[in-house]
Amino acid sequence: MQVQFGEFTLDTATRQLRQGTEERHVSPKAFDLLRLLVENRPRVVSKGELHEQLWPSTFVSEATLSSLVAEVREALSETARGGHFVRTVHRVGYAFAGEAVDLMPRAAPLNDRVRCWILWESGQVALKEGEHVLGRDGDVAVLLDSPTVSRRHARIRIAGEHATIEDLGSTNGTYLCGEWLAAPSELSDGDEIRLGSIVLKFRCVGAEGSIDTQPVSR
């Protein structure tokens, strides 16, 4: 992705921020923060989402994110009060507010990309960033029509390259790779999940954006 805004150009292929022909040096995390804001423009990216994307499975203080935003603003020669590109949405997060032109085709925002698939004998569901409940309730993300499955049986959380699954107090339990799930656990590509009598397979989307989505046979 190459995006031009004002006198700046953001190039994700070379990981460069340029002001005219001069490169503006920023830390890797600051570059990733700016990339996330530009990719998701004009949507407000919440602080929680930024934490999940920049520091997955790691606790950092809110001050760490604030200092990273300050680094980006400094590189763009702006301040919190006099900025044209990075907008603070108090108590929520940040957004890219400037006019930007895509010099190359723009990738889909991270939240709109299919990250994983759930496959089973009679169906398959694509999962994007966020939380997805599995069960037999009408409003769940993955509907499994079986009396052995609870209405809200289990939940999968996807944050960047990481995915976890947890049981939601189901009657018949959740099993991951044959083991009873007692606590939230990390998911890996190809993992087998069993909810009641339903056997599912968890698949991750590769860099090419596709996977072999063959149904699970019993």
Side-chain angles (χ1 to χ4, degrees):
M1 178 182 73
Q2 285 186 6
V3 178
Q4 185 173 10
F5 47 95
E7 56 189 347
F8 296 96
T9 301
L10 182 72
D11 189 330
T12 59
T14 62
R15 290 187 65 86
Q16 288 180 306
L17 173 65
R18 296 188 293 272
Q19 184 176 17
T21 59
E22 179 185 350
E23 183 176 358
R24 302 285 289 179
H25 293 283
V26 292
S27 67
K29 288 291 186 186
F31 183 91
D32 289 336
L33 170 61
L34 180 58
R35 173 183 57 80
L36 284 168
L37 297 179
V38 171
E39 283 183 339
N40 287 278
R41 68 185 191 277
R43 183 175 69 87
V44 176
V45 186
S46 71
K47 293 179 182 179
E49 184 178 341
L50 289 172
H51 277 280
E52 289 175 353
Q53 293 289 337
L54 296 169
W55 301 280
S57 305
T58 303
F59 173 78
V60 296
S61 67
E62 189 168 321
T64 304
L65 177 59
S66 297
S67 65
L68 211 58
V69 171
E71 182 184 347
V72 169
R73 284 180 165 142
E74 182 178 0
L76 299 177
S77 303
E78 64 179 34
T79 64
R81 293 183 178 274
H84 300 288
F85 301 117
V86 179
R87 178 168 68 94
T88 300
V89 182
H90 293 290
R91 299 186 180 181
V92 179
Y94 300 91
F96 186 86
E99 293 293 329
V101 176
D102 290 292
L103 303 180
M104 295 179 64
R106 182 178 175 185
L110 292 178
N111 273 16
D112 290 339
R113 298 179 191 170
V114 172
R115 292 290 193 179
C116 315
W117 288 81
I118 290 292
L119 314 174
W120 68 103
E121 188 176 22
S122 58
Q124 57 187 43
V125 174
L127 304 181
K128 298 181 181 180
E129 194 92 5
E131 296 188 354
H132 310 274
V133 174
L134 298 79
R136 59 184 176 88
D137 227 355
D139 63 347
V140 298
V142 181
L143 179 61
L144 303 170
D145 188 15
S146 169
T148 65
V149 175
S150 297
R151 293 186 179 278
R152 299 178 68 83
H153 197 113
R155 175 168 49 216
I156 291 176
R157 286 189 174 96
I158 300 174
E161 302 301 320
H162 297 267
T164 57
I165 184 170
E166 63 179 311
D167 185 78
L168 297 178
S170 65
T171 301
N172 294 319
T174 299
Y175 293 80
L176 177 60
C177 299
E179 299 290 331
W180 178 66
L181 195 66
S185 297
E186 193 87 9
L187 284 167
S188 299
D189 183 47
D191 278 354
E192 181 183 280
I193 304 167
R194 181 162 65 83
L195 280 64
S197 63
I198 305 296
V199 177
L200 311 100
K201 181 171 285 189
F202 177 80
R203 295 303 312 272
C204 295
V205 176
E208 74 283 357
S210 63
I211 61 168
D212 177 14
T213 54
Q214 293 297 317
V216 177
S217 58
R218 298 182 62 186

